[in-house]
Structures are given as structure tokens and as C-alpha cells.
Amino acid sequence: TIIPERRPSWLRVRPPEGEGYEEIKRLMRSKALHTVCEEARCPNIRECWGHGTATFMILGRICTRSCGFCAVETGRPLGVDWEEPKRVAEAVRQMGLRYAVVTSVNRDELKDGGASIFAATIRWIRRLNPGCKVEVLTPDFKGDYDALKVVMDAKPDVFNHNVETVPRLYRRVRPQAVYQRSLQVLKWAKELNPAAPTKSGFMLGLGESWDEVLEVMRDLRAHDVDILTIGQYLRPSFQHLPIQRYVPLEEFAALKEEGKKMGFRHVESGPFVRSSYHAHEQAEEALG
Ligand code: SF4
Ligand code: SF4
């Protein structure tokens, strides 16, 4: 059964927007930068931007993959912009960020999947913003260990890669991804840089069962993941996968408890949680 699009009350109340929204919008346009906040039509944009924080999306705004939940455009990307890392770092400086989150589209057509641009972005952010911490949310690089190593050698403070959903639903939700490969990437990231906490997350409301969710959480712990994010899937448009269920707040709270019992250092669980939502606060516990 497909439930109607009308949202339950806890998904209709949103925090008020802050003052910085227009400012960030102007900054991103002036530097020709993209954010996942806009491209993925994140429901938190007014709150995050209002408070002067955003998540950069590097390597263009066209993705080579076509995940069923994601609003980012699929197609053939343009070339690689080697000036982009520096512009991201300048924007971080202008925004005065102490914690920057950088993600990207998938660039499966590139030899290193865009890993070198990730590394350059981390280094540029550090160069122009001493003391600023950097979290990267990367693709799976098609399971290419060497590409991942390029990113980890640049020493991100937190490494994030999302499993997005339970393995049974991959064909519909993440058709070009492989569950085991994503777990492997997380494990390698920890091995390559044990000092950096690793992080992953998934959405609820796509048709997963409670037991399947717990299984994924156990898998993530078995691959040494430290930080977990759990949020409600919200359909970006009618072209995207339908919402199977609105998950009640109590269930998010119960999963947080389960996660803590399993040994995650931090669990962020709630309907509006996205992997970059309050990322700094999420990482604080794990970074010590
Ligand atoms: Fe952007 Fe993340 Fe905030 Fe959404 S939760 S608006 S993607 S920073
Ligand atoms: Fe969206 Fe990432 Fe999937 Fe591309 S790989 S469609 S950006 S979720």
C-alpha cells in the first residue's frame, strides 16, 4: 500500500529560518558552488542556512547514478573544475565555518571517481581556514581502495559514507550501489586513518522492516562505524520512490537506544535528520 502524501503533524512543524539564508545563497552563486542542501531539496535548508551552515557538493551538480530517492540530476557530467577546491575553501572562510562538510555527486566516469578533488578540497579548506575541521561524505568510488586512500591521505576529520537503506531494497533505492561494497569502504576508511571517526546513515520509510534495520546497524558496528544518522525518507517529487511509511518519533528514539547499546559513539535519529544535519554536534562526541 502506498500512503497518502499528507504529512503527520511532527513533519509539518519546522523551526523558523534564521537571517543568513539569502547571504549563503548569494555566496554560493557568486562562487559558482553547489550545495547538497539545494540540489537534494533538503527540508532543513532554511534552518541550516539561516544559521550560516551548508554542505558543499563538489564535482558538479550532475550525477552518473540514479538513486530512486535522490533529487540530484542524473546525466553525463561536465569536466572537472580544478579551481573548485579553492573556491570552496574561500566560501568556508567567508562563512566563518569551524566545521565544514563536503560531499559530491558520483563521478563514475572519472578514473579516481573524483577522489583527488576531494583531497584537494580538504587541503585547501585547511590552508585557508586553520583549525577548521572537515567532514567528507563520499561516494563508494566503485570500491577502489586506491581512490579512497587518496581521500584518507588528506586526513579528513570525519569520514562519512551512507548505506542509505537496507540491502533488500538496494535494487530500487540505490541500483548502482552494492551494500557489501559500501561496508567495505567504511572499514577501509577506518583502517587507513584510525584517528578519524567514521559515519554512516540510512533513511526510514522506504519499506524496510525493524529487524532489517537492526541488522544494518549491527553490520555498521561490525565495520567499525562510530557515528550513525537515521532520518525519514521524504519524496522529493512524484518521479521519486513513494513513501511507504511515516515513522513515529518513538521509533526513532528506540533506534537511538538500540544504537547506543550496540556501541555507536553517537546516534542522531529523528525525522529531519540528514547526514549533515548538525554535523558538528554529531561529531563532537566522537572526536572527543
Ligand atoms: Fe544542508 Fe545538511 Fe542542513 Fe540539509 S541538513 S540543509 S543538506 S546542511
Ligand atoms: Fe544522489 Fe548520490 Fe545517488 Fe547521485 S549517487 S543519485 S548524488 S544519492
Side-chain angles (χ1 to χ4, degrees), residues 221 254-264 267:
R221 278 305 298 138
L255 284 173
K256 186 179 173 109
E257 283 314 305
E258 292 292 336
K260 282 187 164 166
K261 275 191 252 162
M262 287 181 200
F264 286 101
V267 183

Short mmCIF file of all heavy atoms in Angstrom, two decimals, residues 221 254-264 267:
data_model
loop_
_atom_site.label_atom_id
_atom_site.label_comp_id
_atom_site.label_asym_id
_atom_site.label_seq_id
_atom_site.Cartn_x
_atom_site.Cartn_y
_atom_site.Cartn_z
N ARG A 221 28.34 -1.54 12.84
CA ARG A 221 29.23 -1.66 14.01
C ARG A 221 30.33 -2.68 13.72
O ARG A 221 31.48 -2.50 14.11
CB ARG A 221 28.44 -2.08 15.25
CG ARG A 221 27.74 -0.97 15.99
CD ARG A 221 28.67 0.17 16.39
NE ARG A 221 29.71 -0.27 17.30
CZ ARG A 221 30.98 0.10 17.24
NH1 ARG A 221 31.40 0.93 16.31
NH2 ARG A 221 31.84 -0.35 18.10
N ALA A 254 13.67 4.82 19.87
CA ALA A 254 14.03 3.44 20.22
C ALA A 254 15.28 3.00 19.45
O ALA A 254 16.15 2.31 20.00
CB ALA A 254 12.86 2.51 19.91
N LEU A 255 15.39 3.42 18.20
CA LEU A 255 16.57 3.04 17.43
C LEU A 255 17.83 3.71 17.97
O LEU A 255 18.92 3.15 17.94
CB LEU A 255 16.38 3.39 15.94
CG LEU A 255 15.45 2.44 15.19
CD1 LEU A 255 15.18 2.95 13.79
CD2 LEU A 255 16.02 1.02 15.13
N LYS A 256 17.67 4.92 18.44
CA LYS A 256 18.82 5.60 19.06
C LYS A 256 19.31 4.78 20.26
O LYS A 256 20.52 4.57 20.41
CB LYS A 256 18.40 7.01 19.49
CG LYS A 256 19.55 7.85 20.01
CD LYS A 256 19.06 9.24 20.39
CE LYS A 256 20.17 10.00 21.06
NZ LYS A 256 20.73 11.06 20.26
N GLU A 257 18.38 4.32 21.05
CA GLU A 257 18.76 3.50 22.22
C GLU A 257 19.46 2.22 21.78
O GLU A 257 20.49 1.84 22.33
CB GLU A 257 17.52 3.15 23.06
CG GLU A 257 17.04 4.28 23.92
CD GLU A 257 18.18 4.96 24.69
OE1 GLU A 257 18.92 4.25 25.40
OE2 GLU A 257 18.36 6.19 24.55
N GLU A 258 18.88 1.57 20.77
CA GLU A 258 19.50 0.33 20.26
C GLU A 258 20.93 0.61 19.79
O GLU A 258 21.84 -0.16 20.05
CB GLU A 258 18.68 -0.24 19.08
CG GLU A 258 17.32 -0.78 19.45
CD GLU A 258 17.39 -2.03 20.32
OE1 GLU A 258 18.40 -2.74 20.26
OE2 GLU A 258 16.42 -2.27 21.07
N GLY A 259 21.06 1.72 19.09
CA GLY A 259 22.38 2.08 18.55
C GLY A 259 23.40 2.31 19.66
O GLY A 259 24.56 1.90 19.56
N LYS A 260 22.95 2.96 20.69
CA LYS A 260 23.88 3.22 21.81
C LYS A 260 24.30 1.91 22.45
O LYS A 260 25.46 1.72 22.80
CB LYS A 260 23.21 4.13 22.83
CG LYS A 260 23.24 5.58 22.38
CD LYS A 260 22.74 6.49 23.46
CE LYS A 260 23.12 7.93 23.19
NZ LYS A 260 22.35 8.83 24.08
N LYS A 261 23.33 0.99 22.59
CA LYS A 261 23.66 -0.32 23.18
C LYS A 261 24.68 -1.05 22.32
O LYS A 261 25.51 -1.79 22.82
CB LYS A 261 22.38 -1.17 23.30
CG LYS A 261 21.59 -0.89 24.58
CD LYS A 261 20.51 -1.94 24.78
CE LYS A 261 19.15 -1.34 24.53
NZ LYS A 261 18.07 -2.28 24.29
N MET A 262 24.56 -0.86 21.01
CA MET A 262 25.50 -1.56 20.12
C MET A 262 26.90 -0.95 20.15
O MET A 262 27.83 -1.53 19.61
CB MET A 262 24.98 -1.50 18.68
CG MET A 262 23.79 -2.38 18.41
SD MET A 262 23.32 -2.22 16.66
CE MET A 262 21.63 -2.80 16.74
N GLY A 263 27.00 0.24 20.70
CA GLY A 263 28.33 0.83 20.84
C GLY A 263 28.66 1.96 19.88
O GLY A 263 29.83 2.36 19.78
N PHE A 264 27.68 2.50 19.15
CA PHE A 264 27.96 3.70 18.35
C PHE A 264 28.33 4.84 19.30
O PHE A 264 27.72 4.98 20.38
CB PHE A 264 26.73 4.11 17.53
CG PHE A 264 26.45 3.22 16.36
CD1 PHE A 264 25.46 2.24 16.43
CD2 PHE A 264 27.19 3.33 15.19
CE1 PHE A 264 25.20 1.40 15.36
CE2 PHE A 264 26.93 2.49 14.11
CZ PHE A 264 25.94 1.53 14.19
N VAL A 267 24.57 8.64 18.01
CA VAL A 267 23.47 8.30 17.11
C VAL A 267 22.55 9.51 17.02
O VAL A 267 22.09 10.04 18.03
CB VAL A 267 22.64 7.10 17.63
CG1 VAL A 267 21.55 6.73 16.63
CG2 VAL A 267 23.53 5.90 17.91
#
